[in-house]
Amino acid sequence: MNFIFGIIFEKLFPFICKYMRPFMKWFLHTFTRLCELQRICYGAQPGARRTKQVEWSLESSNQPDIKQLIRELNEAVEYCSEDELKSLTLKAVSVVQRVKRIKPSIHPDFAPLFGVTVYQIWSYKRLMHQVERLRSEQYNAENIEHEEKLMELWRHLMPDEPLTERVSKQWQEIGFQGEDPKTDFRGMGLLGLENLLYFSREYKEAAQHVLLHSRHPTLGYTFAIVGINLTAMAYLFLKSGDAKAHFYNVAQNAKRACSLEHFHKFYCYLLFEFDRFWLESEPTNIMDFREIYQTFEISILEALHKDSNVFKTNLVIEKV
């Protein structure tokens, strides 16, 4: 009975909120003399909790000027620079202050607090575009820049073993499926290569350690292929919005916009933690990969749904 009631409540709750929200806003505004955005900015904890509430409030607004503002920001943010993003943030603050009749002289704290949340929301949207462009760019063996990055990946992972030929079975030593890695990047495009390269370059010791684990005679796995699978996981978490809490908290702590560097570090955390999770799961063989991968994905998703969540990339090396 409780289970059935829970399902019914879950279905009805959005409708209840939709029709009760105007009354609740009016009631709270009457007694606090503050609009919803002010109450959020003054009362919610900075970072994901505050930013997600502001985002929801803006998207739920029926004010024509707010709706138009959101459309303009969404259109402008795809290719905007850092300076342009800051200008868009100032514009958003100005529009909201005008529409909500918030006087800066009376509420001087609102603009900086609200501005930070807008900056985080639309830098996340910009990051989604940046990541999507990398994912949609296919690896091209005739592109010198692409080839140089692939060669750099080899040098970081196999510093003591020169690559004898561009097309070689040696690639299988770092977990590619065949003799030419370009075929393995089809699904995630250049994003898969950029993630692997960042991990191997910025976390050299950790990358060497994970690669060593992947070559274990009984607990091994295909390092590069697993890495590309984890690129797909990171990409889907970003695109679905499940990773918002993490990125908003990272941006808050760093006092910076969400960036590609933050995405690469998120990926590095996933790859490093998956390696640990895989070893602790003690797989019988590589056929256990799907089950272990899915269990790992669920555990990460549960962590991401906590507003206080932030994955730290201080990767600690432990011997097996």
Side-chain angles (χ1 to χ4, degrees):
M1 180 64 72
N2 290 337
F3 177 71
I4 295 174
F5 178 78
I7 293 176
I8 294 173
F9 180 78
E10 184 179 347
K11 297 292 185 183
L12 291 177
F13 185 72
F15 295 99
I16 295 172
C17 288
K18 179 180 179 181
Y19 292 105
M20 289 294 292
R21 185 169 179 266
F23 171 75
M24 290 300 298
K25 286 180 67 177
W26 170 84
F27 178 82
L28 291 171
H29 185 268
T30 300
F31 283 90
T32 65
R33 312 305 298 176
L34 300 173
C35 72
E36 183 177 59
L37 288 171
Q38 286 175 293
R39 294 194 299 272
I40 294 170
C41 289
Y42 297 156
Q45 183 179 343
R49 190 156 297 161
R50 179 185 294 168
T51 302
K52 287 170 72 175
Q53 288 183 39
V54 166
E55 186 173 16
W56 182 82
S57 179
L58 289 172
E59 291 176 350
S60 303
S61 177
N62 290 319
Q63 290 279 356
D65 287 352
I66 300 293
K67 288 179 173 291
Q68 179 61 28
L69 171 68
I70 292 173
R71 285 193 293 269
E72 290 177 1
L73 291 177
N74 287 343
E75 291 174 3
V77 80
E78 183 173 357
Y79 294 102
C80 74
S81 65
E82 194 63 27
D83 288 340
E84 289 169 335
L85 180 60
K86 290 177 180 178
S87 295
L88 291 172
T89 299
L90 292 175
K91 177 181 179 179
V93 171
S94 177
V95 170
V96 168
Q97 284 180 322
R98 174 176 55 80
V99 172
K100 299 295 183 180
R101 298 178 182 176
I102 301 171
K103 296 181 179 180
S105 59
I106 300 176
H107 300 283
D109 294 334
F110 176 75
L113 295 177
F114 177 67
V116 168
T117 66
V118 170
Y119 190 56
Q120 291 173 3
I121 292 166
W122 271 275
S123 68
Y124 184 92
K125 292 176 184 287
R126 182 182 64 173
L127 174 60
M128 289 176 64
H129 289 297
Q130 292 171 333
V131 168
E132 182 59 44
R133 284 196 292 273
L134 281 174
R135 189 201 67 83
S136 60
E137 183 177 353
Q138 289 300 302
Y139 185 91
N140 183 358
E142 296 181 0
N143 186 308
I144 296 176
E145 185 179 351
H146 292 186
E147 286 286 284
E148 287 177 347
K149 288 180 177 180
L150 184 61
M151 295 301 107
E152 184 183 353
L153 176 65
W154 175 269
R155 290 194 297 272
H156 284 306
L157 293 175
M158 305 292 284
D160 300 323
E161 184 179 333
L163 186 67
T164 56
E165 293 179 283
R166 165 62 181 80
V167 178
S168 167
K169 289 184 177 180
Q170 285 179 282
W171 290 111
Q172 296 173 18
E173 296 178 29
I174 59 173
F176 286 103
Q177 289 182 332
E179 297 182 5
D180 193 343
K182 71 178 183 180
T183 58
D184 294 325
F185 292 122
R186 286 173 184 163
M188 284 293 108
L190 205 60
L191 183 63
L193 175 57
E194 292 283 4
N195 277 166
L196 284 169
L197 182 56
Y198 187 92
F199 182 55
S200 66
R201 183 178 62 231
E202 302 299 325
Y203 298 97
K204 291 182 180 180
E205 186 178 359
Q208 289 289 329
H209 206 65
V210 172
L211 178 61
L212 182 63
H213 291 174
S214 74
R215 300 171 74 179
H216 191 278
T218 57
L219 301 176
Y221 55 88
T222 49
F223 172 83
I225 296 301
V226 169
I228 294 171
N229 272 278
L230 290 167
T231 290
M233 184 187 293
Y235 166 76
L236 290 175
F237 283 153
L238 181 79
K239 186 177 180 181
S240 66
D242 288 314
K244 280 182 178 179
H246 167 76
F247 282 97
Y248 288 163
N249 287 330
V250 167
Q252 179 72 34
N253 294 340
K255 300 187 186 304
R256 291 172 49 197
C258 300
S259 67
L260 265 177
E261 183 182 10
H262 294 156
F263 181 80
H264 286 316
K265 288 186 175 181
F266 176 55
Y267 165 82
C268 292
Y269 174 87
L270 294 180
L271 181 49
F272 190 77
E273 284 300 304
F274 178 80
D275 175 71
R276 179 188 60 78
F277 190 83
W278 172 265
L279 295 175
E280 290 178 354
S281 300
E282 298 182 345
T284 305
N285 52 52
I286 197 65
M287 297 303 293
D288 293 336
F289 175 78
R290 179 179 293 275
E291 182 180 351
I292 293 173
Y293 181 89
Q294 290 176 343
T295 303
F296 175 74
E297 184 176 23
I298 291 169
S299 70
I300 294 296
L301 190 58
E302 289 175 349
L304 286 173
H305 284 173
K306 298 175 182 177
D307 284 344
S308 59
N309 170 75
V310 58
F311 293 133
K312 299 185 183 298
T313 48
N314 50 337
L315 310 183
V316 178
I317 306 300
E318 296 178 357
K319 292 186 178 181
V320 180

